[in-house]
Structure formats: C-alpha cells, structure tokens
C-alpha cells in the first residue's frame, strides 16, 4: 500500500507541474511525448496512438524481465498521471496571464524541480510512468549512468530535433527544465524510499 500511495503522490505532483507550468508557459516536451509530437508534425500521426505504440514494446519487455506486478504498477502510474493531469486541467487553480521573460524562466526552473521530484517518487518506488522511464532504467543498469542523466540525454535529443517546429527560446527553456528534473531524479534515486520487491516475488 505504501508503494501505491507514493506512486500516486508522485504522479499527482508531476501532473501539477506539467499542466500548471509546462502547459501554461508553452514549454515543450521531451521523451516519448516529444517523439509523439514529432510524429504528428512529420507524418500526421495522432500522438495518443503513437505514444501507445512506443510504450508497448517496453512494457512487454518489463513484463518478461520484471514481472506482472511491476508492469501493473507501471500501468497504474501511467493511468494516474493522465487522470491527475485532467483533474488539474479542470480545476485550473492557478492561471498565469503573463508568460514572458522572466516569468517563463522561473516557470522552467520550477517545472524542473516539481516534475523531477514527482518522477523521483515514482522511480524510487520501483515503478515507471511510461516506456521512456523503462528505457532509462534499463540503460542505467547497462551503462552505470544515473537514470536522471539518461532521461536528460533522451529528452535533449528529442528537443533538438523538435527545433524544426519549436521556437528556440521555448526549446532552451525546456532544456533547462529537463536538466533540473534530471538532476533531481538522479539525487532522489540513489536510494529507494520503498524497499523494492525481489524479482522472484514479482513474477
């Protein structure tokens, strides 16, 4: 139960950051969300479909290597993130009419801290919010690099490609946000907050 509560708390915080800061200040997206937006730009593919297509192989791989319980918790995380985002959207508790510098800079820094902390809670609990998190966890084990560093690297690659349709200023602000988020995640995932379940028990 403690794991689920921590996962829900993390996704609640992440969704708050994504809507209140990223969405309202026009910050872009990295990871699989950013790839899905690129798919829409280049090939007119619905992002909701392309995100599922990108996630499926990694969830199947996690099912084999991590077991059913891990995947079920990852699906809970992904679903909760979507639901909480919709909740913050409907509540619309904080509205920022001024979206110019330095407000956007402050929003980028705050976004990195808030979303990084939320994702850190989810990852520390042994769960993930999507295929890009699963990919980062796998690459971290293979390379020895921190999950946060790999997340930042993947996000940066996607954001650089996204310059084909994104303003440079918003791309740089987003890079700042994901760099801070990656650092927060790296610090938080050094030690698990919830004792992971042995792999043998997950299957």
């Amino acid at each position: 139960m403690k794991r689920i509560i921590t996962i829900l708390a993390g996704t609640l915080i992440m969704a708050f950051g994504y809507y209140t800061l990223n969405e309202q200040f026009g910050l872009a997206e990295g990871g699989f969300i950013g790839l899905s937006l690129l798919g829409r730009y280049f090939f007119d593919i619905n992002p909701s479909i392309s995100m599922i297509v990108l996630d499926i192989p990694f969830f199947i791989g996690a099912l084999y290597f991590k077991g059913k319980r891990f995947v079920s918790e990852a699906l809970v995380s992904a679903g909760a993130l979507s639901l909480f985002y919709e909740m913050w959207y409907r509540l619309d508790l904080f509205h920022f009419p001024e979206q110019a510098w330095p407000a956007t800079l402050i929003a980028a820094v705050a976004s990195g801290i808030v979303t990084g902390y939320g994702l850190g809670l989810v990852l520390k609990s042994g769960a993930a919010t999507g295929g890009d998190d699963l990919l980062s966890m796998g690459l971290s084990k293979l390379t020895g690099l921190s999950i946060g560093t790999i997340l930042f690297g993947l996000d940066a690659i996607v954001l650089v490609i996204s310059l084909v349709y994104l303003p440079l200023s918003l791309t740089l602000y987003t890079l700042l946000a994901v760099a801070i988020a990656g650092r927060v995640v790296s610090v938080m995932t050094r030690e698990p907050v919830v004792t992971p379940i042995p792999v043998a028990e997950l299957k």
Side-chain angles (χ1 to χ4, degrees):
M1 180 58 69
K2 185 178 180 181
R3 290 165 60 87
I4 297 298
I5 292 174
T6 306
I7 290 169
L8 293 177
T11 52
L12 177 69
I13 294 169
M14 286 179 68
F16 175 82
Y18 283 141
Y19 173 70
T20 305
L21 299 168
N22 290 39
E23 177 71 19
Q24 292 200 44
F25 284 89
L27 299 180
E29 300 287 352
F32 282 7
I33 297 176
L35 284 177
S36 297
L37 295 177
L38 284 170
R40 180 174 64 183
Y41 178 81
F42 286 115
F43 307 109
D44 196 28
I45 300 174
N46 188 327
S48 62
I49 296 176
S50 56
M51 281 190 64
I52 294 174
V53 172
L54 288 169
D55 279 339
I56 285 176
F58 294 97
F59 277 104
I60 292 176
L63 184 64
Y64 178 79
F65 289 105
K66 294 286 190 177
K68 295 179 180 178
R69 183 165 181 176
F70 176 88
V71 173
S72 65
E73 290 179 349
L75 291 173
V76 168
S77 302
L81 183 60
S82 297
L83 290 174
F84 285 138
Y85 184 91
E86 181 67 18
M87 181 192 76
W88 291 123
Y89 170 77
R90 291 182 179 276
L91 289 175
D92 197 21
L93 298 177
F94 302 95
H95 184 69
F96 303 99
E98 181 61 42
Q99 300 178 4
W101 189 94
T104 308
L105 174 62
I106 296 171
V109 173
S111 171
I113 296 171
V114 172
T115 59
Y117 181 74
L119 179 57
L121 285 178
V122 175
L123 295 176
K124 279 166 67 69
S125 300
T129 61
D132 45 352
D133 292 350
L134 295 172
L135 175 60
S136 298
M137 293 167 73
L139 290 175
S140 177
K141 288 186 176 181
L142 288 174
T143 64
L145 296 173
S146 70
I147 295 174
T149 299
I150 293 174
L151 281 171
F152 170 71
L154 295 175
D155 286 345
I157 291 171
V158 173
L159 288 170
V160 169
I161 299 173
S162 299
L163 279 170
V164 296
Y165 73 95
L166 287 174
L168 176 61
S169 60
L170 288 180
T171 302
L172 293 176
Y173 283 132
T174 307
L175 278 171
L176 174 62
V178 299
I180 294 173
R183 180 57 182 166
V184 172
V185 169
S186 294
V187 172
M188 292 184 65
T189 53
R190 287 174 182 168
E191 295 294 338
V193 70
V194 180
T195 303
I197 298 174
V199 174
E201 296 182 18
L202 290 172
K203 297 183 178 181

